[in-house]
């Protein structure tokens, strides 16, 4: 779980999750993240969402980002991408690629391969309440 705490109008709140994978897939791995509801959704009224759409009358911000961690593969030519800049999330269908590699890598148990960050910014008109989203990660070996 990533807890963003109490949101304050106009101030970004964020939290992150470290992800470590290991694979023997010849062409590495791809990790994607998909929002379950297209934004942070009010738990009492699912028509209220924190995202950049104005469907509920208010545009806020809900983003994903990722940062590649320490390389833990010893294979020559190993490369990663895992630097997703703040990307607005406003649907539950897009698979956002947060990390890819081109060769096998070990699960060393200590160094995260990628840090996944969720951020939200509300505004003065965001309806009060508890908000949540379920993020689905898909890890695919590229054989």
């Amino acid at each position: 779980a990533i807890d963003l705490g109490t949101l304050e109008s106009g101030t970004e709140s964020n939290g992150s999750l470290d992800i470590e994978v290991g694979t023997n897939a010849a062409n590495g791995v791809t990790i994607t993240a998909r929002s379950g509801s297209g934004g942070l959704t009010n738990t009492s009224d699912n028509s209220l969402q924190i995202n950049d759409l104005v469907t509920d009358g208010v545009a806020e911000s809900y983003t994903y980002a990722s940062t590649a961690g320490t390389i833990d593969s010893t294979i020559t030519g190993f490369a990663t991408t895992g630097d997703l800049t703040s990307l607005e999330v406003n649907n539950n269908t897009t698979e956002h690629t947060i990390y890819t590699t081109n060769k096998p890598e070990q699960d060393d148990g200590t160094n995260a391969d990628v840090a996944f960050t969720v951020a939200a910014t509300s505004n003065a008109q965001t309806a009060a309440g508890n908000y949540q989203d379920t993020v689905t990660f898909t890890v695919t070996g590229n054989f």
Side-chain angles (χ1 to χ4, degrees):
I2 301 173
D3 185 355
L4 301 182
T6 301
L7 300 183
E8 293 183 34
S9 176
T11 302
E12 181 180 90
S13 295
N14 62 60
S16 65
L17 175 71
D18 289 338
I19 300 171
E20 169 68 16
V21 297
T23 183
N24 64 352
N27 297 308
V29 67
T30 300
I31 302 175
T32 62
R34 181 178 44 82
S35 170
S37 62
L40 286 176
T41 302
N42 188 292
T43 58
S44 298
D45 180 352
N46 65 5
S47 70
L48 300 173
Q49 287 191 312
I50 295 175
N51 60 27
D52 66 341
L53 301 177
V54 293
T55 308
D56 61 0
V58 182
E60 301 101 345
S61 177
Y62 178 59
T63 62
Y64 292 167
S66 64
T67 305
T70 303
I71 292 177
D72 56 8
S73 177
T74 58
I75 297 176
T76 302
F78 178 85
T80 70
T81 58
D83 296 317
L84 174 66
T85 57
S86 293
L87 175 71
E88 287 289 338
V89 176
N90 58 24
N91 68 63
N92 63 356
T93 57
T94 303
E95 296 282 343
H96 302 283
T97 301
I98 63 168
Y99 180 74
T100 60
T101 66
N102 64 338
K103 299 186 181 295
E105 69 178 299
Q106 62 183 332
D107 174 355
D108 70 2
T110 57
N111 296 312
D113 292 318
V114 63
F116 174 74
T117 303
V118 174
T121 304
S122 62
N123 68 41
Q125 298 178 98
T126 301
N130 292 320
Y131 288 79
Q132 69 178 17
D133 187 24
T134 300
V135 178
T136 301
F137 295 99
T138 302
V139 180
T140 305
N142 301 318
F143 290 93

